[in-house]
Amino acid sequence: MRKKFIGANWKMNLLYEEAIKLFADLSNSTLNTSEADIVVFPSSIYLSELSKMPGLPVGAQDLYFADSGAFTGGIAARQLKSISCKYVLVGHSERRITFFETDEVINLKLKSAVRNDLKVVFCCGESLGIRESKKHLEFVTNQLMQGWKDLDETEMKNCIIAYEPIWAIGTGLNASKMEIEEMHGTIRRTVASCFSHSLSQSIRIVYGGSCNQHNASDIFSFNDVDGGLIGGASLEFDSFEKIIKSL
Ligand code: PEP
């Protein structure tokens, strides 16, 4: 039985006071449950303070792959560890598209994160054009294999995979049950063929893309869906609490 995972990806939203209040409200509510790992991914400038507050674990939205050095603006895995940050997102489509991150860079980030003992939410997903050309399964399989290149099974145990079709992120569009189950099944089979059957059964695969309080319980009930990565709907206490409750 895989433990559910729900990540709140706040992206570049919330001012300082708003972030502190939302985090405190979430931490004080009953959503701090043992049935699921619930993790908040705030802007990195708030990580240090939030990680000292009681309650939910926090994760970074990005890292740089070097351990230290002349990389202005970068944040190293070791620095994240030093402020008790436990998780990091790698390969989010907004990083891939807006910040031009290639599969090669994502692979370096993934390796740096797991080798420094951070848990990684490794994101993958296709554009609408790729889905329409019916190459989505092949495309996502390739993204995964490039991303986890050179990682071994023990290192992969620190990963959660988030399938986030780009056309569903922030658009209000959702992938259908059939589309989600087909992709999550393909991802699990790819983990089995690249690593082991046992890892494919224990690794968590979550869905992201316009998940909200109205559709979450349906999405979380689909085969092979172990929770969600939530963007817009995680920015308000009420909607995020309803998503957690729908577990
Ligand atoms: C995301 O970007 O990870 C995401 C799932 O966003 P949204 O829920 O807003 O579509």
Side-chain angles (χ1 to χ4, degrees), residues 10 13-24 46 235:
W10 287 356
N13 292 299
L14 304 175
L15 299 181
Y16 173 76
E17 303 287 350
E18 296 165 333
I20 298 292
K21 179 169 182 341
L22 179 56
F23 187 82
Y46 307 143
L235 292 170

Side-chain angles (χ1 to χ4, degrees), residues 108-128:
L108 292 169
K109 290 187 171 190
L110 191 51
K111 284 196 278 206
S112 171
V114 294
R115 289 174 187 169
N116 283 286
D117 218 19
L118 288 169
K119 293 189 193 314
V120 176
V121 179
F122 173 27
C123 306
C124 58
E126 80 288 357
S127 66
L128 190 56

Side-chain angles (χ1 to χ4, degrees), residues 9 11 92-94 164 168-171 208-211 229-233:
N9 179 10
K11 311 193 184 188
H92 192 283
S93 60
E94 286 153 15
E164 302 201 294
I169 295 183
T171 58
S210 299
C211 198
L229 186 57
I230 319 295

Side-chain angles (χ1 to χ4, degrees), residues 152-163:
D152 64 26
E153 183 166 343
T154 309
E155 291 167 333
M156 278 301 292
K157 285 186 182 151
N158 273 334
C159 294
I160 293 159
I161 296 172
Y163 169 55

Side-chain angles (χ1 to χ4, degrees), residues 69 78 96 239:
R78 291 168 66 233
R96 292 177 188 263
S239 54

